[in-house]
Amino acid sequence: MKNLITFVSFVPFFVSAQNRNNVWELGYSLYSAPKSEMRYFDETMNTSEVSRTMTFFITNAGISDTSGNLLFYSNGITISNKNNDTLQNSTNFNPGWATDFNDPFGMSNCQGILILPDPGISTRYYVFHESGESIFSYGASEVQPLGLSYSVIDMNLDNGLGGIVDTLKNKNIINDTLLWGGLTAIKHANGRDWWVIAHRFHTSKYYKLLLTPQGIQGIYEQIIGSDSMNDIGVQATFSPDGSKYCISNYGGWFDYMNFDRCSGEFTDPIQVFSPDSFFYGSSFSPNSRFIFASSLLNLYQYDTWNPDMGTYPIHIAEWDSFVNPYFDIAVLFFMHQLAPDGKIYVSPWNGVEYLNVINSPDSLGLSCNFSPHSFILTQNAFTNNIPSFPNYDLGRLKDSPCDTIEETSSDFVAAENSRFAITPNPAAKRINIVYEIKDDAFLTLFDINGKIVATTNLFHYFKNRLVDVSYLVSGIYLATVTQKGKIIWSEKVVVAH
């Protein structure tokens, strides 16, 4: 260890994470009950009570700036700015029968709204949205979106609080009957543009848009996977590295496919049936290996490294009969979302003040440490929903055919050893390593005797990772980062309880 410390030098430099998903607005009740908020700070997800009018039924999305400050959020009917007031010119931005029917409670489609930064103008944001119309389809009454629209928000409007640009409000981009939700997006392989994905109703057709600095390109189409029509609950998600895609639905299965971030093409579809009749929510682990999928009563893990993963689901948990003690409401499983703390939070289906948590989602089987109803929101600040965020941190796919955008000084600093920072330092419970790297790396924490006491993977498609140090004795430790067996950075870490 003495040689290690002697020959490794470093230049302190703080690299900011994207922080776009640091603030989660939650809340189910329209009336006098308090609303809740989750914020990522001090390397953990915290909750507090907030005073605002907007409530969420199921549709929920928001975005923060790169410092983690809330910009705006939406329930699919209206949009609120950071002061919890109606965003300028956002009234009636998403018109339709379903909007009128759900007003003012919030829209009822899972992933019915999607927020993306404009790749060309840093102060602008694209909001993709869908409402629904009451139609008679396939022998039954349905409420389905008959298209996809977008609106553009400029944060320079309303004295910096933002507003929808008059000429870019509710612009229709797709005219077809779509799934009731399931909107998602992933970065193009150039690390700048965005692929936007929507699924047609009652077919296996996908629509794809490419959001670039010049605006929206497309529409591109692909027929692949299953015929989806049971969209009461649907969740579409990409793996954090962007190479895999999963869409789960009430029909009783999920579709898993590979994805090419250059071409936007899906390949190698696999249909995985639920062991207990249907799925609602789904998510990928941070290392992009595992899929978690849940019905209302059960949570399963699937290992994408196993070519027969659909045959061998791992049963993680069954509803343990826990109910809200005041109103006797069951705390079940619904939608999933990976958080900045590396955990996956699972919303409860019914309006209660509890979220379920997968604490170690990179671990196989029961080692993923699932804790049902363990995250408690502000008392009586009930929720049944959770925000939907794409991976804003994902960068370019190095050495791919689409790796064509030159790096600038703002993308990466010149020195190999100046892309990392650890905070807080000293630390009592956990350390957060913030970084920018082109290739995956590995963090190792040593004690003064050279014994390894903690490790974690640093995936290039994230900007930070958390390491638990609460179990370590107070003292001085050494953190090192290695790539391909070579140490590229180190720093002393003080643990103080």
Side-chain angles (χ1 to χ4, degrees):
M1 286 300 298
K2 289 183 179 179
N3 290 336
L4 181 65
I5 296 173
T6 301
F7 290 107
V8 177
S9 61
F10 64 91
V11 178
F13 181 86
F14 192 86
V15 182
S16 295
Q18 283 286 340
N19 299 314
R20 294 288 194 181
N21 62 340
N22 277 21
V23 182
W24 300 19
E25 297 297 328
L26 302 167
Y28 178 77
S29 175
L30 180 68
Y31 304 107
S32 57
K35 309 300 190 297
S36 57
E37 179 182 84
M38 292 170 62
R39 283 182 181 261
Y40 175 71
F41 65 90
D42 194 23
E43 286 69 57
T44 190
M45 296 298 289
N46 298 269
T47 184
S48 61
E49 181 178 323
V50 295
S51 177
R52 56 174 162 79
T53 301
M54 182 186 290
T55 186
F56 300 92
F57 184 16
I58 294 176
T59 307
N60 187 336
I63 194 166
S64 299
D65 62 23
T66 55
S67 296
N69 302 305
L70 180 65
L71 292 176
F72 58 89
Y73 56 94
S74 178
N75 62 3
I77 293 177
T78 188
I79 303 174
S80 289
N81 60 31
K82 66 180 181 180
N83 292 338
N84 302 311
D85 294 326
T86 301
L87 188 87
Q88 186 180 88
N89 196 28
S90 66
T91 302
N92 202 36
F93 83 100
N94 188 28
W97 181 92
T99 303
D100 296 337
F101 180 82
N102 287 283
D103 189 21
F105 296 93
M107 290 290 283
S108 59
N109 48 347
C110 305
Q111 295 180 305
I113 191 167
L114 173 68
I115 302 172
L116 299 176
D118 187 325
I121 303 175
S122 62
T123 59
R124 286 195 172 194
Y125 297 84
Y126 278 74
V127 181
F128 294 89
H129 46 86
E130 58 179 27
S131 183
E133 301 299 328
S134 180
I135 61 175
F136 191 79
S137 175
Y138 299 97
S141 295
E142 302 278 356
V143 177
Q144 298 297 145
L146 299 184
L148 179 67
S149 300
Y150 71 92
S151 301
V152 175
I153 292 175
D154 190 336
M155 295 308 299
N156 289 321
L157 298 175
D158 197 17
N159 297 313
L161 293 175
I164 295 180
V165 180
D166 285 334
T167 57
L168 296 172
K169 180 177 181 179
N170 189 32
K171 306 294 289 185
N172 181 257
I173 188 67
I174 295 176
N175 287 298
D176 203 349
T177 306
L178 303 178
L179 281 188
W180 184 233
L183 298 177
T184 191
I186 194 70
K187 282 279 189 73
H188 186 276
N190 63 20
R192 179 197 63 196
D193 303 339
W194 287 91
W195 288 108
V196 178
I197 309 296
H199 199 302
R200 193 187 188 281
F201 177 65
H202 213 313
T203 71
S204 56
K205 179 186 287 188
Y206 285 88
Y207 287 107
K208 308 166 193 175
L209 309 172
L210 186 60
L211 179 60
T212 74
Q214 290 73 45
I216 297 174
Q217 298 181 10
I219 307 165
Y220 308 102
E221 300 178 12
Q222 184 179 5
I223 296 176
I224 191 171
S226 304
D227 182 341
S228 293
M229 64 175 293
N230 295 288
D231 55 356
I232 297 173
V234 57
Q235 184 161 20
T237 182
F238 281 96
S239 60
D241 67 1
S243 68
K244 304 169 185 177
Y245 173 84
C246 174
I247 182 167
S248 56
N249 67 87
Y250 184 75
W253 67 84
F254 67 76
D255 276 356
Y256 164 72
M257 293 178 269
N258 293 321
F259 185 74
D260 187 326
R261 290 170 57 200
C262 281
S263 66
E265 291 293 291
F266 293 110
T267 57
D268 308 314
I270 298 174
Q271 187 180 37
V272 177
F273 287 92
S274 170
D276 64 355
S277 76
F278 60 88
F279 286 122
Y280 273 118
S282 58
S283 57
F284 278 93
S285 59
N287 63 6
S288 299
R289 175 179 174 180
F290 301 113
I291 294 173
F292 293 91
S294 61
S295 65
L296 293 183
L297 299 176
N298 290 279
L299 175 67
Y300 302 92
Q301 183 192 67
Y302 295 84
D303 188 355
T304 65
W305 290 5
N306 184 344
D308 296 321
M309 70 172 189
T311 308
Y312 301 101
I314 301 173
H315 186 223
I316 299 300
E318 184 177 11
W319 176 53
D320 59 2
S321 301
F322 182 84
V323 298
N324 171 284
Y326 302 104
F327 301 102
D328 199 36
I329 301 173
V331 182
L332 305 178
F333 312 143
F334 191 23
M335 307 302 289
H336 301 199
Q337 180 58 53
L338 178 64
D341 62 1
K343 302 176 183 180
I344 295 173
Y345 291 78
V346 181
S347 65
W349 174 254
N350 295 313
V352 292
E353 67 268 50
Y354 301 92
L355 297 179
N356 309 289
V357 186
I358 306 171
N359 290 284
S360 304
D362 281 344
S363 299
L364 178 65
L366 298 182
S367 297
C368 72
N369 187 20
F370 176 67
S371 298
H373 48 81
S374 59
F375 190 91
I376 305 174
L377 302 171
T378 303
Q379 187 175 13
N380 296 327
F382 299 150
T383 192
N384 70 331
N385 53 75
I386 203 164
S388 178
F389 300 103
N391 182 9
Y392 294 109
D393 286 346
L394 185 59
R396 65 193 181 95
L397 185 58
K398 184 184 176 185
D399 298 328
S400 71
C402 298
D403 182 12
T404 57
I405 299 177
E406 294 184 6
E407 297 172 4
T408 65
S409 58
S410 62
D411 295 323
F412 294 101
V413 291
E416 184 70 27
N417 59 1
S418 59
R419 300 177 190 171
F420 306 89
I422 285 180
T423 181
N425 194 4
K429 296 181 179 179
R430 59 187 64 83
I431 58 174
N432 184 25
I433 179 164
V434 185
Y435 59 91
E436 281 195 48
I437 51 178
K438 303 175 186 178
D439 300 304
D440 291 348
F442 196 72
L443 174 74
T444 306
L445 197 64
F446 299 90
D447 65 15
I448 58 174
N449 297 314
K451 179 183 176 181
I452 297 175
V453 295
T455 61
T456 191
N457 290 293
L458 304 182
F459 300 111
H460 69 276
Y461 46 81
F462 289 134
K463 302 298 182 183
N464 72 293
R465 293 280 279 174
L466 294 175
V467 179
D468 182 16
V469 296
S470 62
Y471 62 93
L472 300 177
V473 299
S474 297
I476 299 175
Y477 296 81
L478 180 71
T480 68
V481 174
T482 57
Q483 277 183 334
K484 300 177 181 179
K486 177 184 177 183
I487 298 172
I488 60 173
W489 181 85
S490 72
E491 180 167 321
K492 290 181 181 178
V493 176
V494 177
V495 175
H497 300 297

